[in-house]
Amino acid sequence: MGKRVALVLAGCGVFDGSEIHEASAALVHLSRGGAEVKIFAPNIEQRDVVNHLKGSPTEEKRNVLVESARLARGNIQDLAELKADEFDAVIFPGGFGVAKNLCSWAVDGKNCTVNEHVNATLQAFHSAKKPIGLCCISPVLAAKVFPGCEVTVGQDKNVDGRFPDAETASAIAELGCKHICKNVNESHVDKANKIVTTCAFMCKAPLHEIFDGIGTMVQEVLKLA
């Protein structure tokens, strides 16, 4: 029987929701791994709505659950309804929506607050010793909720201009966590906490390399489940 995995989204679109390629890559690798997946998102208003053609905010109001339903092809549930005992693992794709809607990292950095249902989900899986997979910016959720854990968001220096957000690694260290430097096609496994992370679009890399890196994260999550 395949592993039961919950996938948590933060909207639809890199600048104000879940990064679409990351969400799709996670779903493809989970499908290939024989997992049974259910998708969730918090039923809250987005922090902002960005015109992805212009790269600028608009005056629109959108709902995270409604927008995430686009990625889920309509098959999605309110995150408040997620019960950890019904799943073997949980995965969070990245995108600015994680840092805007699932927590306030985009505004407050290491002093951010985490959405109550996101926090409850992370705590429930961690307490049950079930694996948590995170990619791109979403490892900051684990860094905020689980002091002392190990995560990666890629490199801690902007190597060859490929890691423009390398300062995130320093903020993670300031939270009392250990940042592990990894390449885009790799993931890191914190065995003690069963947290698996990969940098994805925190690295400027070809899409297939990001896809492969997310694949290693999914594979490690399924091994731990």
Side-chain angles (χ1 to χ4, degrees), residues 157-211:
K157 294 181 178 60
N158 190 8
V159 181
D160 297 327
R162 299 175 76 223
F163 294 89
D165 301 304
E167 70 277 1
T168 304
S170 299
I172 286 169
E174 289 175 21
L175 284 170
C177 298
K178 186 173 183 180
H179 179 266
I180 309 296
C181 291
K182 290 286 182 178
N183 291 321
V184 67
N185 60 344
E186 300 176 312
S187 56
H188 176 69
V189 181
D190 177 348
K191 293 181 180 177
N193 290 293
K194 290 195 171 183
I195 296 170
V196 188
T197 51
T198 189
C199 70
F201 277 101
M202 294 292 276
C203 177
K204 290 185 175 180
L207 183 57
H208 72 279
E209 292 183 13
I210 291 163
F211 182 91

Side-chain angles (χ1 to χ4, degrees), residues 65-78:
L65 178 59
V66 172
E67 291 302 298
S68 298
R70 294 174 179 271
L71 280 169
R73 296 170 62 87
N75 189 8
I76 194 168
Q77 293 173 258
D78 187 336

Side-chain angles (χ1 to χ4, degrees), residues 9 11-13 18-20 23 27 39 67-74:
L9 298 179
C12 182
S18 289
E19 210 296 320
I20 293 170
L27 287 166
I39 305 175
E67 291 302 298
S68 298
R70 294 174 179 271
L71 280 169
R73 296 170 62 87

Side-chain angles (χ1 to χ4, degrees), residues 91-93 122 132-136 138-139 141-142 151 195-198 217:
I91 289 177
F92 290 77
L122 289 167
I132 300 168
L134 309 111
C135 64
C136 194
S138 66
L141 295 172
V151 298
I195 296 170
V196 188
T197 51
T198 189
M217 180 267 286

Side-chain angles (χ1 to χ4, degrees), residues 98-174:
V98 171
K100 292 178 176 181
N101 304 326
L102 303 192
C103 71
S104 63
W105 187 277
V107 176
D108 302 318
K110 68 181 189 297
N111 298 315
C112 72
T113 56
V114 178
N115 171 274
E116 61 175 317
H117 297 302
V118 173
N119 183 67
T121 296
L122 289 167
Q123 295 283 8
F125 277 85
H126 187 259
S127 295
K129 295 182 170 25
K130 294 180 178 181
I132 300 168
L134 309 111
C135 64
C136 194
I137 191 62
S138 66
V140 302
L141 295 172
K144 184 66 181 181
V145 175
F146 307 118
C149 72
E150 298 177 356
V151 298
T152 188
V153 289
Q155 300 291 323
D156 56 10
K157 294 181 178 60
N158 190 8
V159 181
D160 297 327
R162 299 175 76 223
F163 294 89
D165 301 304
E167 70 277 1
T168 304
S170 299
I172 286 169
E174 289 175 21

